[in-house]
Amino acid sequence: MESGKKSLEELTTAGVFHVPAYQRYYSWKKPEWDDLWTDLFNLPSGKQHYFGTIIIQKTDETVTGGDASGYGTSAEKRVNLLIDGQQRLTSLALLVTAMTECLAELAPSTAHEDEIVADVTEMRETFLCDDNIYQLELLDEADNEYLQRIIDGRNVPEPERPSQRKMVDAKAYFDAQLADLVESADGDLVGVANSIKQLWQTIVELELMVYVVDADNPEKATLIFDSVNDRGRSLSTFDKTKSFLMRTAYLAAPDEPTAQTVIQRIRQAFGKMYSYHQEMLESPYVGGISDDAVQRYHFISFFDWSDSDQHSDPTFLTELKTRIRELRLEDPEACLEYIQEYTADLERGFNALSDVLAYRGDDEIASLIDRIHRLRHARKFYPLVLKAWPELSNDERLELLDAIETYIFRVYSIGNHPSHTGESSLYIRARDIGADSPIDVWVSRLVNVMNRYEDDAQFRRSAAATDLYSKASSQDLRYFFYFLNRHRAATEGERGGPSLAEAMGSEYTVEHIWPQSPEELPLTDGGEYPSPEARYNGNVHRLGNLTLASRSWNSSWGNCSFETKHSKGYGNSQLWVQTDIQDQYDEWSIANIEDREKQLIEFMLEKWATPETRFGGIDDPATAVAALTEMERVVLKALCQNPDGAIRRDIHADASTVPDSPFTNPNVNGDERSDVGSILSRLRSVGLADRNKYTWYPTEDAQAVDIS
């Protein structure tokens, strides 16, 4: 087949179509199915529908088939790679499957069964499967088999991934449209069959602009795709990035073999990233997180941006394109290296975030990932996490996650700061901290931001707010009481109580010990307040007056007096946070609220303590020097020998010449070199070193202090 305008029927004569592994999984949803159905079914008589561009790449492969029983002649068809059009052709395959099933079901109830069955056979052989050769093969074995099962109507299992679920939903959507057609026909099944036959005629006459690329010129498909994609679901920023990188790599490469090698690496990397994204979509934490969003999180951690507008979507792609185009004009070889570096690092980021969001362990890492997401502010930490995660051990990952949970609970849950608080500072740290930095650097930089808003003193004040119940969300308060209840159960050597999911779910609530709307006010003296009512309202929402209760318990006792709760309610509770009230207090007063509040705040400060780091509380470079180990001093001395900057290897070599140096293998890229890198990152965290890509510099403060 040659390039040019074709009908869909003509396209099918080119052979079969295999979706390459570097393409996107099936992703169409109801808006696209609606458009497809409406465009095809409502096309005026005598009109052709333009179905956009299709890009295929020839291959030297063929597939053979034949009668499943082993009889009959063997068929052979040429294999073409489907570079553009897989979403549309997959959707059409599901629509045609639904059409053939509908026709096969109604045929026996008409006087034209043989003719209708013949039409069904023609449809299937033309567009679905002929001689046991499927017209369309998807990008991986699991999805391909799933599509074939749908087409054949044989034992379709429950979907295991989002792409399979979308195929099932698409088929169900088209089934529903055809069922409506049958129902509206008022028994005229022949009329329905004719309508479906007309729909089939519309499909085979679809007008396409087909671009055919030879097998020995695969990069041409990339160039065409980048310039003519015009149909189907709009390309995501992520898809546009893939196309741009491949096209620019082709233009920057010194020769054809180099171009093909780099383009193939890009395709393989994006194929893996599509797979990682599928895993993320299965996560219980993020719903429909887009690959554009993941790419943006990576951009924040990778690119040397200077303004928050630069990392918005789709602006970040514009920034990336500008950088790469400038490099291509200045130094094509450097441009090619940058494209490969960016692609590899982007794949690394997708892999890391997939590891986090799809984590399946039954350990403390899994628990912390779950808890961070239950606190609802996890996404602003994604740029930092995807950068740090690959280089950390499991113990270090626990430290990082624990620091993030503490930050979220202090700043947002109890501190009640707006959701954007600290976000720009977190993004700057994700950008500036080296991926190979030691865990104490990551944690200390997090703690520095956290302490701006909720250091220990402020955290204590926030928890002691008289209107804490109104400021903190019910979910966050229940989060706190869950851990208090678990702590008390562990102290008593018992198990039981609700899970975290149950405590934060609909069956539990925050209970006011003094009820919010008492039948009789338990105070007669207003004290420093203008009235007893004002004094009551000034204390009823404090932490000390709150606890956790099941909704059934709360419906029975929630609005009762303390005396009734004490004698009948708390004693029957299964929660330690209620039985403790029963055991510790015979009456309830403002003094008791204050006493209990102090106890709860002390637990809160212990449970969500400020993480300890090497340089915790040190923000002055001169002070930091005094806290350096001897090894760190040696690296700092070596760094200061290079005021104009040096790469890690050269600093390692200089460090080995310092008297009494612990570094003795300057020519080996091993543990010593890694130690130097970790120390440089640590020095940077306290203002003694700076970095530009791979070059390290001593700061003015470092050169000014005495490190002898």
Side-chain angles (χ1 to χ4, degrees):
M1 175 175 286
E2 301 298 323
S3 298
K5 284 188 177 181
K6 311 288 181 183
S7 68
L8 185 68
E9 187 172 27
E10 290 176 295
L11 177 69
T12 63
T13 65
V16 296
F17 305 98
H18 291 185
V19 179
Y22 57 82
Q23 296 286 14
R24 178 182 293 279
Y25 287 78
Y26 184 64
S27 61
W28 269 21
K29 298 179 181 178
K30 187 175 183 298
E32 289 81 33
W33 307 329
D34 276 337
D35 288 345
L36 180 63
W37 174 263
T38 301
D39 288 348
L40 296 179
F41 194 75
N42 297 316
L43 187 70
S45 177
K47 299 287 186 178
Q48 271 190 309
H49 178 62
Y50 178 64
F51 205 49
T53 59
I54 297 288
I55 304 174
I56 61 175
Q57 179 185 324
K58 294 179 180 178
T59 74
D60 297 326
E61 300 175 30
T62 59
V63 291
T64 57
D67 191 285
S69 65
Y71 297 102
T73 58
S74 177
E76 183 177 71
K77 293 190 177 185
R78 179 175 295 279
V79 174
N80 301 280
L81 296 183
L82 185 59
I83 307 302
D84 182 30
Q86 68 270 24
Q87 302 291 330
R88 284 168 283 156
L89 294 191
T90 304
S91 298
L92 275 181
L94 294 166
L95 170 56
V96 173
T97 299
M99 292 163 56
T100 59
E101 290 178 356
C102 182
L103 285 173
E105 184 176 346
L106 63 82
S109 301
T110 72
H112 304 277
E113 181 176 2
D114 291 344
E115 299 166 70
I116 294 174
V117 169
D119 286 341
V120 168
T121 301
E122 178 191 347
M123 293 178 192
R124 291 189 58 82
E125 290 179 349
T126 301
F127 199 70
L128 299 177
C129 182
D130 182 24
D131 282 326
N132 292 305
I133 301 174
Y134 291 89
Q135 190 71 24
L136 181 65
E137 186 170 299
L138 299 186
L139 54 88
D140 74 6
E141 185 176 345
D143 274 16
N144 189 55
E145 181 183 353
Y146 204 83
L147 177 62
Q148 290 177 3
R149 285 180 175 272
I150 293 175
I151 289 172
D152 295 343
R154 54 182 170 92
N155 190 27
V156 179
E158 285 296 311
E160 295 181 349
R161 53 170 68 167
S163 53
Q164 294 174 359
R165 187 170 298 112
K166 290 183 176 72
M167 284 190 272
V168 169
D169 291 345
K171 172 64 163 47
Y173 171 87
F174 295 127
D175 285 340
Q177 301 305 311
L178 293 166
D180 289 344
L181 182 63
V182 173
E183 184 176 348
S184 65
D186 196 24
D188 182 11
L189 298 183
V190 173
V192 173
N194 283 327
S195 294
I196 296 175
K197 186 172 184 177
Q198 180 58 49
L199 177 59
W200 168 247
Q201 197 61 37
T202 299
I203 291 172
V204 295
E205 291 176 358
L206 284 171
E207 182 180 299
L208 311 167
M209 184 62 201
V210 179
Y211 292 89
V212 182
V213 178
D214 290 336
D216 59 355
N217 193 16
E219 64 279 352
K220 184 178 178 182
T222 298
L223 302 179
I224 296 172
F225 179 83
D226 192 55
S227 61
V228 304
N229 183 275
D230 63 348
R231 287 291 300 178
R233 192 173 189 177
S234 298
L235 286 180
S236 66
T237 302
F238 187 65
D239 287 331
K240 292 175 183 176
T241 301
K242 178 183 69 172
S243 179
F244 171 76
L245 293 175
M246 291 193 293
R247 180 167 62 87
T248 309
Y250 174 74
L251 297 174
D255 51 50
E256 210 61 31
T258 302
Q260 292 193 25
T261 298
V262 175
I263 287 173
Q264 183 61 19
R265 288 174 183 167
I266 295 170
R267 286 172 169 171
Q268 290 173 346
F270 273 79
K272 290 181 180 178
M273 285 186 271
Y274 285 129
S275 181
Y276 294 141
H277 182 236
Q278 286 278 301
E279 293 174 7
M280 292 182 216
L281 292 175
E282 291 290 275
S283 169
Y285 307 123
V286 292
I289 187 172
S290 68
D291 43 23
D292 289 356
V294 181
Q295 186 186 2
R296 175 178 171 267
Y297 295 139
H298 172 265
F299 181 89
I300 290 168
S301 71
F302 177 87
F303 198 81
D304 188 23
W305 51 269
S306 58
D307 185 278
S308 60
D309 289 341
Q310 291 177 286
H311 58 67
S312 62
D313 184 11
T315 305
F316 74 80
L317 178 55
T318 302
E319 296 293 327
L320 181 66
K321 284 182 173 182
T322 300
R323 170 64 177 150
I324 290 175
R325 284 167 175 158
E326 289 173 350
L327 272 176
R328 187 169 75 84
L329 293 175
E330 297 168 4
D331 186 344
E333 183 179 352
C335 173
L336 211 56
E337 290 178 1
Y338 185 87
I339 287 172
Q340 293 179 86
E341 176 191 356
Y342 173 78
T343 303
D345 205 79
L346 183 60
E347 181 189 338
R348 177 179 176 272
F350 266 74
N351 188 10
L353 196 56
S354 172
D355 279 350
V356 173
L357 296 180
Y359 194 86
R360 293 292 184 265
D362 183 19
D363 54 18
E364 188 61 18
I365 289 179
S367 175
L368 274 166
I369 292 171
D370 178 67
R371 283 146 54 184
I372 286 167
H373 285 91
R374 288 189 186 279
L375 289 173
R376 305 178 307 286
H377 291 272
R379 290 198 182 205
K380 57 178 64 67
F381 295 88
Y382 284 176
L384 188 147
V385 168
L386 67 79
K387 189 173 187 179
W389 195 262
E391 300 297 328
L392 301 179
S393 67
N394 278 350
D395 286 344
E396 291 169 335
R397 289 170 176 178
L398 275 175
E399 284 188 61
L400 179 63
L401 294 171
D402 185 68
I404 292 172
E405 187 221 15
T406 298
Y407 184 117
I408 295 174
F409 185 75
R410 282 183 170 227
V411 174
Y412 306 115
S413 299
I414 302 302
N416 193 40
H417 293 275
S419 61
H420 64 268
T421 300
E423 185 175 70
S424 61
S425 295
L426 293 172
Y427 287 172
I428 288 170
R429 277 145 185 78
R431 178 196 67 192
D432 291 347
I433 301 175
D436 57 353
S437 296
I439 184 60
D440 62 283
V441 171
W442 290 104
V443 173
S444 65
R445 300 295 289 275
L446 271 176
V447 169
N448 289 344
V449 180
M450 181 185 77
N451 282 341
R452 291 183 198 169
Y453 308 104
E454 293 292 327
D455 60 11
D456 286 353
Q458 181 56 49
F459 187 43
R460 187 182 293 273
R461 287 192 293 271
S462 296
T466 57
D467 58 346
L468 181 66
Y469 176 78
S470 303
K471 291 171 64 176
S473 74
S474 171
Q475 280 189 316
D476 289 339
L477 290 171
R478 284 179 279 149
Y479 186 87
F480 164 72
F481 281 115
Y482 163 79
F483 283 102
L484 177 62
N485 190 73
R486 192 176 76 165
H487 167 74
R488 287 290 298 116
T491 301
E492 298 295 333
E494 294 188 5
R495 293 185 177 183
S499 66
L500 180 59
E502 290 169 338
M504 297 183 73
S506 60
E507 295 304 311
Y508 282 82
T509 186
V510 177
E511 144 77 355
H512 286 73
I513 301 171
W514 264 350
Q516 296 187 73
S517 304
E519 295 180 1
E520 182 179 347
L521 201 67
L523 295 175
T524 58
D525 179 14
E528 70 274 24
Y529 290 84
S531 66
E533 290 82 0
R535 189 181 183 196
Y536 185 87
N537 291 332
N539 287 275
V540 73
H541 294 316
R542 292 174 63 174
L543 178 62
N545 191 56
L546 306 176
T547 189
L548 183 68
S550 66
R551 287 205 176 271
S552 60
W553 189 99
N554 194 57
S555 64
S556 298
W557 310 104
N559 211 43
C560 295
S561 66
F562 174 78
E563 290 73 22
T564 300
K565 293 177 181 179
H566 187 271
S567 62
K568 298 181 179 180
Y570 294 142
N572 297 322
S573 174
Q574 302 298 311
L575 298 173
W576 281 101
V577 291
Q578 288 190 332
T579 56
D580 281 348
I581 300 169
Q582 169 87 14
D583 295 342
Q584 295 176 21
Y585 303 100
D586 294 326
E587 61 178 10
W588 201 241
S589 65
I590 292 174
N592 289 339
I593 291 174
E594 292 172 345
D595 175 72
R596 183 168 177 269
E597 181 176 271
K598 289 178 182 177
Q599 295 181 44
L600 300 189
I601 290 176
E602 290 308 313
F603 169 76
M604 196 179 284
L605 282 163
E606 179 182 341
K607 172 66 180 173
W608 291 279
T610 301
E612 295 183 4
T613 61
R614 272 287 315 283
F615 298 105
I618 297 177
D619 52 14
D620 174 47
T623 306
V625 170
L628 296 179
T629 65
E630 189 57 39
M631 184 180 286
E632 290 165 345
R633 284 175 174 272
V634 168
V635 174
L636 181 56
K637 289 177 182 179
L639 178 65
C640 288
Q641 293 176 25
N642 297 276
D644 295 327
I647 61 175
R648 185 177 61 171
R649 180 186 62 217
D650 294 340
I651 296 169
H652 181 198
D654 289 341
S656 69
T657 67
V658 174
D660 300 321
S661 172
F663 300 103
T664 58
N665 296 300
N667 297 318
V668 178
N669 186 15
D671 292 342
E672 277 194 10
R673 188 77 51 82
S674 296
D675 288 341
V676 171
S678 295
I679 290 170
L680 288 168
S681 295
R682 197 171 289 124
L683 295 175
R684 187 185 189 194
S685 73
V686 290
L688 293 170
D690 206 350
R691 181 181 188 179
N692 182 11
K693 283 294 181 183
Y694 303 111
T695 305
W696 290 90
Y697 303 86
T699 62
E700 291 182 2
D701 288 317
Q703 297 178 75
V705 298
D706 180 13
I707 53 175
S708 58

